[in-house]
Amino acid sequence: MADTASIVAPRETGAPRPSRGGRAGRRPGVPRRTGIAYLFLAPFLVLFIVFVLAPAVFGLWISLTNWSPFRATQKFIGLQNYIDLFTPGSATSGDFWQSMAATGIFTLASVPFLIVIPLLIAVLLNQKIRAGSFFRGVFFAPYVLGVAVISVIWKYLLDTQAGIINHLLGMIGLPDNLPWTVDVPWVWVTLAGVTVWWTMGFNTVIILAGLKSISADLYEAAALDGAGAWRQFTNVTLPGLRQVMTFVFTITILASANMFGQSFLITKGGPGNTTRTAIMYIADQGLSQNNLAAAAAMSYVLFAFLAIVSIINFRLQRERAEKSVS
C-alpha cells in the first residue's frame, strides 16, 4: 500500500505529466499548417512582389536620378526632382500643381455624393420591399462596365450639338445648348455626375452589407424608447456603420484622386488643361514626354498626399469611436 501511495501521490499533488509529443506544449501540426498557409499565399506574394513592391522600389530609385530610356547611364541627382516640383517657375512645378488642383476639385465635387447617395439608397434597399434583389442589381449594374464604355456613352449623350440630353432639355423648354464637355463649370458637373452614376452601386452594396450586420434588436429597443425613424437613423444606423463608412470614405477619396479615364475620354483634359488631373499629367510626362524621373517624383508626392489624408481620416474616426464609447 505504501508503494502504491508513493506512486500515485505525485499525480494527486499536481505534478506535470510527461508530454506525449516530447517537448512540453509543442503542437506537432503547427509547422505543417504554417507551411501550407505560405504555400497558398505564395501566388499572391509573387504577384505582389513582381507588380507592386519591385516597381515601387524601382520607381523610387528613378525619382532620385535623371533616368531616361535614351541615356546609356543614369546619374544620381538626389532630391532634385522633388525640389523642382516645389520650386515656382521650374519646368514641372506649375503644370503639376495645376493638375493637383484639378484632382482636388474633382474629389470635392464627387466624394460627398458618393457617400450620401449610396447611404440613402442602401437604407431604402434594406427595407422589406418587393423586388429588392432586382433593384440592387439595377444600382450595381453600371459598375461592371469599363470606364471606356461609360465615357464613350456619356460623351455622345452630352454632346453639345447632337447629344440627346440637350435635345430632351429643349423639349421641356430648358436651354438646349449647355456645354457639358467643353466649358467650365459644366465639365465638372459632367465628370462628377458620370462618376457618381457609374460607381455609386459599389458603395451601395458595401453599405448595405454593413446595414445587414446591425442587430434588429437595437432598432426594436430604440422604437420602444419612442425613437422615430430619424432618431433611429442617427443613434443606431450611423453608429453601427462607423467602420464601414470609414472604409467607404477612404477608398472613395483614393479612387477619386486617381481619376483618369473619365477626364481623358470625355473632356480630354479641357477646356485647356482645366480638367487634366494629376494622373493624366503624370502619364503624359512619363509616357509621352519620356520625362520618367520627374513623373516618378510626382507619383510619390501624390502618394504622400493620399497617405496623409487616409491617416487623418482613420485618426478622426478612431477618436469619434473612443468618445462615443466613453
Side-chain angles (χ1 to χ4, degrees):
M1 295 295 293
D3 294 340
T4 303
S6 63
I7 294 173
V8 176
R11 295 189 178 183
E12 294 179 349
T13 57
R17 297 183 180 181
S19 173
R20 294 181 180 179
R23 295 183 180 179
R26 179 184 178 184
R27 292 182 296 174
V30 172
R32 181 179 179 183
R33 289 198 297 268
T34 303
I36 294 176
Y38 280 115
L39 181 63
F40 279 100
L41 288 173
F44 168 78
L45 292 176
V46 171
L47 293 175
F48 177 80
I49 293 173
V50 173
F51 294 104
V52 178
L53 186 60
V57 174
F58 184 60
L60 181 61
W61 177 78
I62 287 177
S63 70
L64 300 176
T65 67
N66 63 345
W67 202 91
S68 172
F70 305 107
R71 189 178 293 112
T73 59
Q74 317 302 332
K75 181 181 178 182
F76 180 81
I77 59 175
L79 299 177
Q80 187 60 48
N81 289 318
Y82 295 92
I83 295 174
D84 289 342
L85 293 178
F86 291 91
T87 303
S90 66
T92 56
S93 176
D95 289 337
F96 173 68
W97 291 110
Q98 182 186 22
S99 67
M100 288 287 285
T103 300
I105 293 173
F106 175 78
T107 302
L108 292 175
S110 60
V111 169
F113 294 102
L114 285 171
I115 298 297
V116 175
I117 295 178
L119 175 61
L120 297 179
I121 294 175
V123 171
L124 293 176
L125 292 177
N126 195 44
Q127 308 301 316
K128 295 181 179 179
I129 60 175
R130 292 182 178 180
S133 299
F134 169 76
F135 287 110
R136 294 189 196 103
V138 168
F139 285 110
F140 188 76
Y143 186 74
V144 304
L145 300 176
V147 63
V149 177
I150 295 297
S151 299
V152 170
I153 290 174
W154 280 101
K155 183 177 181 180
Y156 281 105
L157 291 176
L158 295 170
D159 185 81
T160 304
Q161 302 298 327
I164 190 173
I165 300 298
N166 277 342
H167 178 69
L168 293 176
L169 291 175
M171 292 177 61
I172 59 177
L174 296 176
D176 60 354
N177 59 346
L178 296 178
W180 295 105
T181 61
V182 294
D183 198 8
V184 177
W186 299 106
V187 286
W188 292 119
V189 175
T190 296
L191 293 176
V194 170
T195 302
V196 170
W197 175 83
W198 175 38
T199 61
M200 69 178 180
F202 179 75
N203 288 356
T204 300
V205 170
I206 296 178
I207 297 173
L208 185 60
L211 290 173
K212 297 295 184 183
S213 66
I214 301 176
S215 175
D217 296 338
L218 297 176
Y219 291 100
E220 294 178 1
L224 292 175
D225 288 339
W230 177 250
R231 288 186 60 190
Q232 290 182 28
F233 177 75
T234 57
N235 296 330
V236 179
T237 303
L238 290 182
L241 289 175
R242 181 174 286 110
Q243 293 183 348
V244 174
M245 295 305 294
T246 301
F247 171 75
V248 170
F249 186 70
T250 302
I251 64 172
T252 302
I253 289 180
L254 297 179
S256 296
N258 285 281
M259 190 271 283
F260 172 80
Q262 302 95 298
S263 181
F264 181 77
L265 295 171
I266 296 177
T267 66
K268 299 187 182 299
N273 293 323
T274 304
T275 59
R276 183 177 63 180
T277 61
I279 297 297
M280 285 186 64
Y281 183 63
I282 292 171
D284 177 69
Q285 287 294 303
L287 302 178
S288 299
Q289 308 299 325
N290 292 313
N291 194 7
L292 294 174
M298 297 174 199
S299 300
Y300 281 96
V301 171
L302 177 61
F303 165 77
F305 273 93
L306 296 181
I308 292 172
V309 171
S310 300
I311 292 172
I312 293 174
N313 179 42
F314 279 112
R315 280 187 172 274
L316 291 176
Q317 295 298 331
R318 186 177 64 181
E319 291 177 0
R320 291 178 184 176
E322 291 175 352
K323 289 181 180 180
S324 62
V325 172
S326 60

